[in-house]
Amino acid sequence: MSSATLFPQHVIARKRDGHLLTRDEIAAFVRGATDGSWADYQLSALLMAIFLRGMTPEETALLTDAMMRSGVVADLSSVPGIKVDKHSTGGVGDKVSIPLAPMVVACGVPVPMISGRGLGHSGGTLDKLESIPGFQTGLSLDAYRAQVRRIGCALIGQTKDLAPADKTLYALRDVTATVECIPLICASILSKKLAEGIDALVLDVKFGRGAFMKTLPEARRLAEALVAVGRAGGKQVRALLTAMDEPLGRSVGNAVEVAESIACLRGAGPGDLMEVTYSLGAHMLILGGAARTLEEARSRLERSVRDGSALARFREIVVAQGGDARVVDEPQRLPAARLQEPLAAERDGVVTDVDAMAVALAALRLGAGRARATDRIDPAVGITCLVKRGERVTRGATLCVLHANDETALAEARLKLLGAIAIGDSSPTPTPLVAETIL
Ligand code: URA
């Protein structure tokens, strides 16, 4: 039976009863999500059946492929070289894409990167970049392809032509309690990434309080599934499992995270941010054929920072996308909040915890993020100078600086941050930032 003649209720019943879906049944579902021929309640019913019954790796690969082909698949074959992207499952203070892409491009590997916006507690690369005055992320696919060919990189947003089935399905999952399902997450993430026209992908699968996956075993299961489905789609894929219990770096917000990314490109970024950026970048250079070993790749990335070539690439990207490149040398040109208030330590001691989720909620209260997809963000607000676990503080020392445009929001965020940062007497046990690599 062709997928056009399959009745939604029959496909739903087959998954409900625990059968494997065929290629045609999966194609009918994805077509139904794309052209509106399945009602939202039918799409939602199948999403819930998949959530409860699961999908095999083969079904997940078929779903990913059908979702990828629901729209345009960018053709970057005219761009020389192995095109490599990075995708993060999202965290707090995760601005890695901003310094990473120019570093990798400076080492000779093209990086076509399509990023998302922040939603809920996790920030989005597009919102951060748009805090650079004039920076445009809404490039057409033609402009994206031309820019990748010309300068090796474009940092743009999802267009309506790429994997449109995901847009419909993700919106339904969000309101039908079907987000936390590994086959659906894999198909959602990879259909968009594979439609970008890349050859290889490095995934940063985060685990911990500030991440989508709360535990290492959960993150490992997701990473293994993503790597397997990506490979079934003909791409080289690796995944790093990285800790997200405390925010990455010392800044959380939008303009403040761009400023920290620029510091990173100057070699002056916080240690954890530099570490995650170099670790992901090293795998990207290997997949892109620019290095043979992780040591060689890392030293090339470090050189791109030392010799200024990574920063020069960033400047080139900002100019190409209409942004004010003066921010690269004068970050004070980024939007600044009206109120800047330090939060002082109430006692001497050592920082035993900085709860990423609580910090994210404080930043959200300041206006740095969105509770709903339609909310507007304030690019200037956020948190800087955030202490890290294991650091010693004395009473009165600055634990962080709040940047706000509203007194009530400032007071509420302040309270949340006081609860987020714990100070004790003995040093916490250090935990590795990069816990595992799935090759
Ligand atoms: N990010 C996505 O793009 N899709 C998911 O399903 C989860 C996270």
Coordinates of all heavy atoms in Angstrom, one line a residue, residues 209-240:
R209 N 22.1 19.0 36.1 CA 20.9 19.7 36.5 C 20.4 20.7 35.5 O 19.3 21.0 35.3 CB 21.1 20.5 37.8 CG 21.0 19.6 39.0 CD 21.4 20.4 40.2 NE 22.8 20.9 40.0 CZ 23.5 21.4 41.0 NH1 23.1 21.4 42.2 NH2 24.7 21.8 40.7
G210 N 21.4 21.3 34.8 CA 21.1 22.4 33.8 C 20.9 21.8 32.4 O 20.8 22.6 31.4
A211 N 20.8 20.5 32.3 CA 20.7 19.9 30.9 C 19.3 19.2 30.8 O 18.6 19.0 31.7 CB 21.8 18.8 30.8
F212 N 19.1 18.9 29.5 CA 17.9 18.1 29.1 C 17.9 16.7 29.8 O 16.9 16.2 30.3 CB 18.0 18.1 27.6 CG 16.8 17.8 26.9 CD1 15.6 18.5 27.1 CD2 16.8 16.8 25.9 CE1 14.5 18.3 26.3 CE2 15.7 16.6 25.1 CZ 14.6 17.3 25.3
M213 N 19.1 16.1 29.7 CA 19.2 14.8 30.3 C 19.9 15.0 31.6 O 21.0 15.6 31.7 CB 20.2 13.9 29.4 CG 19.6 13.6 28.0 SD 18.3 12.3 28.2 CE 17.2 12.8 26.9
K214 N 19.3 14.5 32.7 CA 19.7 14.8 34.0 C 20.9 13.9 34.5 O 21.7 14.3 35.3 CB 18.6 14.7 35.0 CG 17.4 15.6 34.7 CD 17.8 17.1 34.8 CE 16.7 18.0 34.3 NZ 17.1 19.3 33.8
T215 N 21.0 12.7 33.9 CA 22.0 11.8 34.4 C 22.9 11.3 33.3 O 22.5 11.3 32.1 CB 21.4 10.5 35.0 OG1 20.7 9.8 34.0 CG2 20.4 10.8 36.1
L216 N 24.1 10.9 33.7 CA 25.1 10.4 32.6 C 24.5 9.2 31.9 O 24.6 9.2 30.6 CB 26.4 10.1 33.3 CG 27.5 9.5 32.4 CD1 27.9 10.5 31.3 CD2 28.8 9.3 33.3
P217 N 23.9 8.2 32.5 CA 23.4 7.0 31.7 C 22.3 7.5 30.7 O 22.3 7.0 29.6 CB 22.8 6.1 32.8 CG 23.5 6.4 34.0 CD 23.9 7.9 34.0
E218 N 21.5 8.4 31.1 CA 20.5 8.9 30.2 C 21.1 9.6 29.0 O 20.7 9.4 27.8 CB 19.6 10.0 30.8 CG 18.4 9.5 31.6 CD 17.7 10.8 32.2 OE1 18.3 11.5 33.0 OE2 16.6 11.1 31.7
A219 N 22.1 10.4 29.3 CA 22.8 11.2 28.2 C 23.6 10.2 27.3 O 23.6 10.3 26.1 CB 23.8 12.2 28.8
R220 N 24.1 9.1 27.9 CA 24.8 8.1 27.1 C 23.9 7.4 26.1 O 24.2 7.2 25.0 CB 25.5 7.1 28.1 CG 26.4 6.2 27.3 CD 27.0 5.1 28.2 NE 27.8 5.6 29.3 CZ 27.5 5.5 30.6 NH1 26.5 4.7 31.0 NH2 28.3 6.0 31.5
R221 N 22.7 7.1 26.6 CA 21.7 6.4 25.8 C 21.3 7.3 24.6 O 21.3 6.9 23.4 CB 20.5 6.1 26.6 CG 20.6 4.8 27.3 CD 19.3 4.1 27.7 NE 18.3 5.0 28.3 CZ 17.0 5.2 27.8 NH1 16.6 4.4 26.8 NH2 16.2 6.0 28.4
L222 N 21.1 8.6 24.9 CA 20.8 9.5 23.8 C 22.0 9.7 22.8 O 21.8 9.6 21.6 CB 20.4 10.9 24.4 CG 20.1 12.0 23.4 CD1 19.0 11.6 22.4 CD2 19.8 13.3 24.0
A223 N 23.2 9.8 23.4 CA 24.3 10.0 22.5 C 24.5 8.8 21.6 O 24.8 8.9 20.4 CB 25.6 10.3 23.4
E224 N 24.4 7.6 22.2 CA 24.6 6.4 21.4 C 23.6 6.3 20.3 O 23.9 6.0 19.1 CB 24.6 5.1 22.3 CG 25.8 5.0 23.1 CD 25.8 3.9 24.1 OE1 24.7 3.3 24.4 OE2 26.9 3.7 24.7
A225 N 22.3 6.7 20.6 CA 21.3 6.6 19.6 C 21.6 7.7 18.5 O 21.4 7.4 17.3 CB 19.9 6.9 20.2
L226 N 22.0 8.9 18.9 CA 22.3 9.9 17.9 C 23.4 9.5 17.0 O 23.3 9.7 15.8 CB 22.6 11.2 18.6 CG 21.5 12.0 19.3 CD1 22.0 13.0 20.3 CD2 20.6 12.7 18.2
V227 N 24.4 8.9 17.6 CA 25.6 8.5 16.7 C 25.2 7.4 15.7 O 25.5 7.5 14.6 CB 26.8 8.1 17.6 CG1 27.9 7.4 16.8 CG2 27.3 9.3 18.4
A228 N 24.4 6.5 16.2 CA 24.0 5.4 15.3 C 23.1 5.9 14.2 O 23.2 5.5 13.0 CB 23.2 4.3 16.2
V229 N 22.1 6.7 14.6 CA 21.2 7.2 13.5 C 21.9 8.2 12.5 O 21.6 8.1 11.3 CB 19.9 7.9 14.2 CG1 19.0 8.5 13.1 CG2 19.1 6.9 15.0
G230 N 22.8 9.0 13.1 CA 23.6 9.8 12.2 C 24.4 9.0 11.2 O 24.5 9.4 10.0
R231 N 25.0 8.0 11.7 CA 25.8 7.1 10.8 C 24.9 6.4 9.8 O 25.3 6.3 8.6 CB 26.5 6.0 11.6 CG 27.6 6.7 12.4 CD 28.8 5.8 12.6 NE 29.8 6.5 13.4 CZ 30.2 6.1 14.6 NH1 29.9 4.9 15.1 NH2 31.1 6.9 15.2
A232 N 23.7 6.0 10.2 CA 22.8 5.4 9.3 C 22.4 6.4 8.2 O 22.1 6.0 7.0 CB 21.5 4.9 10.0
G233 N 22.5 7.7 8.5 CA 22.2 8.7 7.5 C 23.4 9.0 6.6 O 23.4 10.0 5.9
G234 N 24.5 8.3 6.8 CA 25.7 8.4 6.0 C 26.7 9.5 6.4 O 27.5 9.9 5.7
K235 N 26.5 9.9 7.7 CA 27.4 11.0 8.1 C 28.4 10.4 9.2 O 28.1 9.4 9.9 CB 26.6 12.1 8.8 CG 25.5 12.7 8.0 CD 25.9 13.3 6.7 CE 24.8 13.7 5.9 NZ 25.1 14.1 4.5
Q236 N 29.6 11.1 9.3 CA 30.5 10.7 10.4 C 30.0 11.5 11.6 O 29.8 12.7 11.5 CB 31.9 11.3 10.1 CG 32.5 10.7 8.8 CD 34.0 11.2 8.8 OE1 34.8 10.7 9.6 NE2 34.3 12.1 8.0
V237 N 29.8 10.8 12.7 CA 29.2 11.4 13.9 C 30.0 11.0 15.1 O 30.3 9.8 15.3 CB 27.7 11.1 14.1 CG1 27.1 11.9 15.2 CG2 26.9 11.4 12.8
R238 N 30.3 11.9 16.0 CA 30.9 11.6 17.3 C 30.1 12.4 18.4 O 29.6 13.4 18.0 CB 32.3 12.0 17.4 CG 33.2 11.3 16.4 CD 34.7 11.8 16.6 NE 35.5 10.9 15.7 CZ 36.8 10.9 15.8 NH1 37.4 11.6 16.7 NH2 37.5 10.0 15.1
A239 N 30.2 11.9 19.6 CA 29.5 12.6 20.7 C 30.4 12.7 21.9 O 31.0 11.7 22.2 CB 28.2 11.9 21.0
L240 N 30.3 13.9 22.5 CA 31.0 14.0 23.8 C 29.9 14.2 24.8 O 28.9 14.9 24.6 CB 31.9 15.3 23.8 CG 33.4 15.1 23.4 CD1 33.5 14.5 22.0 CD2 34.1 16.5 23.4

